[in-house]
Amino acid sequence: MIKLIITDVDDTIAPEGGSVINHEYYEIVKECKKKGILFGVASGRQKPCVQKLFAPVLDDIFILADNGTDIWMKEYKTSMKIPDEYYQNLAKDLKKIAPEYGIMSCKPDIAYFEPKDEKYCNHMKTYPYECEYTDDITALTDICKVSAWVETGIDQEVEDQMAEKWSDKLDVCIAGANFLDFMSKGCNKGKALSIVQEHYGIKPEETVAFGNADNDIPMIEKAKYSFAVGNASDRLKKTASSVIGNMKDDAVLNKIKEILAAIE
């Protein structure tokens, strides 16, 4: 018996940074509600961005935003923050180890950039993100997620250096080719999904999950029925129970239709 279906957004049901989704998803959400299935969206994007994508059915979904560090349900809302000392030292390390990378520091509903990272800020506004500038990004507090970004793609050496220095204190993961994300240790899409499952009394054996990137791995590990899109990372494909078609072919939409058709 399926009681919960959850999907990632970028390169899973929409192109990276896409501002629209196939409108059939709105009908899918309504059909899930009729069948008593909870529908969720888990994304590296901030909550307002996901809310705009799913505006027609917002009352019928839950959202795990900023890689699960911002949980939004109608009757339950919470966020998971990086300790201020860790955050401030992390931001300094990023500036030192990868000075050519942009830094985005996220609180629920707002993302901060330094003026020098205007190109990064403008890129995120296309999602569309709610953004503000700050003169010193290392001085912020109450941050839930940090995303380092470089237009040419995350360098393996940078990923390895940051993981070696920070993975004992923070979750460090690739979130698409151009983003390296940092969250408080254990605070990720998987942790957030576990909170939702516990809140509603839903088991992993009753859960379906879809994703494409390494930051989706903790989430799909919480679902018996886990699907990687064909364009997913190799790590995710190895973790998922099945690999389906590509995002561009609406593989997730088609798989959910198949699942719902099999449920009376």
Side-chain angles (χ1 to χ4, degrees):
M1 179 65 180
I2 302 302
K3 295 184 179 179
L4 189 155
I5 295 175
I6 188 164
T7 182
D8 173 53
V9 176
D10 289 292
D11 284 335
T12 300
I13 65 170
E16 175 68 42
S19 58
V20 296
I21 58 172
N22 188 322
H23 285 197
E24 287 190 62
Y25 277 105
Y26 305 144
E27 297 307 315
I28 287 292
V29 170
K30 294 174 184 176
E31 185 66 19
C32 283
K33 185 177 181 180
K34 288 179 183 177
K35 292 180 180 287
I37 299 171
L38 192 63
F39 190 94
V41 182
S43 180
R45 299 189 188 201
Q46 64 178 199
K47 182 168 71 251
C49 195
V50 180
Q51 288 173 327
K52 290 171 186 175
L53 277 180
F54 283 86
V57 289
L58 199 54
D59 288 341
D60 300 323
I61 68 171
F62 70 90
I63 297 171
L64 310 181
D66 280 322
N67 277 343
T69 61
D70 182 16
I71 301 173
W72 181 87
M73 297 181 277
K74 284 187 292 184
E75 69 278 21
Y76 180 82
K77 300 170 180 65
T78 191
S79 62
M80 299 179 278
K81 299 170 185 174
I82 298 172
D84 290 341
E85 181 183 0
Y86 286 0
Y87 163 72
Q88 291 162 3
N89 288 328
L90 169 68
K92 291 173 185 175
D93 276 354
L94 280 170
K95 287 186 168 222
K96 181 179 179 181
I97 293 171
E100 72 278 20
Y101 284 41
I103 301 173
M104 175 176 67
S105 298
C106 302
K107 296 183 182 183
D109 302 343
I110 192 73
Y112 294 91
F113 303 82
E114 289 186 342
K116 71 177 183 63
D117 291 327
E118 181 180 11
K119 189 172 187 178
Y120 185 10
C121 181
N122 288 337
H123 174 68
M124 298 312 296
K125 285 179 179 178
T126 66
Y127 278 67
Y129 261 54
E130 300 292 332
C131 304
E132 286 186 11
Y133 286 112
T134 179
D135 290 333
D136 183 6
I137 207 157
T138 67
L140 297 174
T141 59
D142 297 325
I143 297 301
C144 62
K145 187 193 78 171
V146 176
S147 277
W149 173 86
V150 64
E151 194 170 18
T152 54
I154 298 297
D155 184 86
Q156 186 66 54
E157 185 177 347
V158 170
E159 180 189 356
D160 291 345
Q161 281 186 265
M162 295 304 297
E164 182 178 356
K165 188 160 188 179
W166 283 99
S167 60
D168 63 329
K169 302 179 185 71
L170 303 174
D171 276 7
V172 182
C173 64
I174 291 290
N178 305 92
F179 298 91
L180 181 61
D181 286 358
F182 304 83
M183 295 80 63
S184 195
K185 193 69 178 176
C187 297
N188 50 46
K189 292 182 182 182
K191 173 66 173 178
L193 178 55
S194 291
I195 291 171
V196 174
Q197 288 170 324
E198 183 176 353
H199 182 80
Y200 288 103
I202 296 173
K203 302 174 184 176
E205 294 79 15
E206 300 166 324
T207 303
V208 178
F210 299 90
N212 82 295
D214 291 4
N215 64 332
D216 295 316
I217 291 174
M219 176 178 74
I220 68 168
E221 288 178 334
K222 303 297 182 182
K224 178 179 179 180
Y225 307 100
S226 56
F227 300 94
V229 288
N231 51 286
S233 71
D234 289 340
R235 291 174 187 168
L236 188 76
K237 287 179 179 178
K238 290 176 182 177
T239 308
S241 56
S242 299
V243 178
I244 55 176
N246 282 21
M247 174 276 299
K248 63 182 179 63
D249 298 321
D250 280 328
V252 173
L253 181 68
N254 294 331
K255 188 64 182 180
I256 296 175
K257 286 180 179 179
E258 179 184 318
I259 290 168
L260 292 179
I263 299 172
E264 303 218 357

